[in-house]
Amino acid sequence: MIILAVETSCDETAIALVETKRNNSSNFKILSNIISSQVKIHAKYGGVHPFLAQREHQKNLPLVLKKALKEAKFASDQTKIDLIAVTMGPGLEPCLWKGINFAKDLAKKFNLPLVPINHIEAHFFANWLAPAKLEPKKVFPAIFLLVSGGHTQLILAKNFENYRILGETRDDAAGECFDKVARILGLGYPGGPAIENEASRLKISNLQFQIKLPRPMLHQKNYDFSFSGLKTAVLYHFKRQSPKTQKSKDYIGEMAKEIQQAVIDVLIKKTFFAAQNYKIKTITLGGGVASNKELRKQFKEKIKEEKNKVKLLIPPPKYCTDNAVMVGIAGFFRFSKDKKKMKKKIEAKANLKISSGL
Ligand code: KG4
Ligand code: ZN
C-alpha cells in the first residue's frame, strides 16, 4: 500500500510517499520525504507568523508534491498511490486548511480515499521508524512524551486510537521555552537547535558562572509541566549581567547548557514517574525537542539504569521534527482500522486533542 501524506500544521510544508505491505504494519519504506521549511521567513519574528505561513504553504504545496513524486520516481499522473493522508489539527488553522484543501483536490483528481490525521498522533507514529523495530502489540500500552514547539504532554497510549492525556504544560511548551530563551540570548529562531549547539561547545570543567536554574514542578506528584518560569529566571539572570558578559560566548554557552539540563531533568523525572505508575511496555518520544542529542542520551542512560523491562523508542532525529512521513504512517493505521471514517467531512481543527479521536 502506498500512502501520500500532506503536513502543513505549522511552518513546514511537507509531503511524503510511504509504502507498507498491507499485512506488515511495522515496516515502512520511505519512497520520498520532502520538507520545505519556512524558518528563514519567520526568523525575524522570533516565531511563526500565521498569515505568512499559509501564503507560503499555498505557494510551496504544488512544488513540494512535484519533488515528492520525482524522488519516488512516480509520474505526475501516477496511479500507484492507494491513499492520501492529511493533518487536520492541531496547528495553525489557516495553515491546516491549505493542506486539507490541497489533499482534497488530489483525492478527487486521483479518485482516492482521504484520511484525516491528528498531528500529535502522527508524532507518536514516528516511533515506528525507530531503529528498534517492534511489533505493534509489543509497543502498547505505552507512555508517549510529546515535546514540541506547541505541546508538552504525557500521554498514556493504551492501544491504537486509545489515548489519555495524563498531564501537560500549564503554560509554555518545552520547545517554546527554548525558542524564548534563545531569543533572550540572541541565538535566533528556532531556539532548540541553537541552544543544543551552544551547550555542546562547553566542557563541564570550564564552567565559570555556576548558573543554577529552577526545575519547575519536579517534585510534584503529577504529570504536568510549567516552563514559563524557567524563561523568566533566564531573563532575570541575563539582565543582571554586564553587557560584556551578556555577549560572552562562555556565559551564553553555560546558560544554554543549564536551561537544556533543567528541561531534560523535568522531562525525564515526569516520564519515568508515569512509567512507574502505569504498567507499560514502552516509553516513546516525539516532537522537535526529542531530536535533542543530550535529551536522547540521558533518556537512554536512565532506561539502562532502571533495569526493568520497559523499552525506549525514539524516532530518528529528522522524524522528530515536523514531517509528512509520520502522517503517512498514522494514515495507514487509521485507514486499516476503520475505513468508514474516510467518508467524514474533513475540516481544520486548531485545538484538536489526541484523546478526543477525530
Ligand atoms: O515538532 P516540531 O518540529 O513542531 C511542532 O509541532 O511544534 O517542534 C519544533 C520545536 C521548536 O520549538 C524547536 O526549537 C524545538 O522543537 N527543537 C529542538 C531541537 N530541534 C527542534 N529543541 C531542542 N533541541 C533540538 N535539537
Ligand atoms: Zn509537530
Side-chain angles (χ1 to χ4, degrees), residues 94-109:
C95 298
L96 291 163
W97 271 120
K98 292 294 167 197
I100 291 172
N101 287 333
F102 187 79
K104 276 185 180 168
D105 287 348
L106 272 185
K108 217 177 188 178
K109 184 173 157 198

Side-chain angles (χ1 to χ4, degrees), residues 14-30:
I15 295 187
L17 282 156
V18 179
E19 183 172 18
T20 183
K21 296 208 173 67
R22 276 173 211 268
N23 301 325
N24 186 355
S25 53
S26 58
N27 200 355
F28 292 90
K29 190 169 160 198
I30 298 160

Side-chain angles (χ1 to χ4, degrees), residues 8 29 36 66 86 124 128 146 176 192 211 251 267 292:
T8 60
K29 190 169 160 198
S36 168
K66 216 170 160 184
V86 64
F124 173 61
W128 266 252
L146 170 71
E176 191 178 1
I211 304 167
Y251 176 74
L267 293 176
N292 183 284

Side-chain angles (χ1 to χ4, degrees), residues 7 9-10 119-120 123 146 148-151 287-288 320-323 326:
E7 157 63 44
S9 67
C10 194
H119 180 81
I120 294 179
H123 273 300
L146 170 71
S148 68
H151 296 88
C320 287
T321 45
D322 285 350
N323 65 86
M326 64 186 194

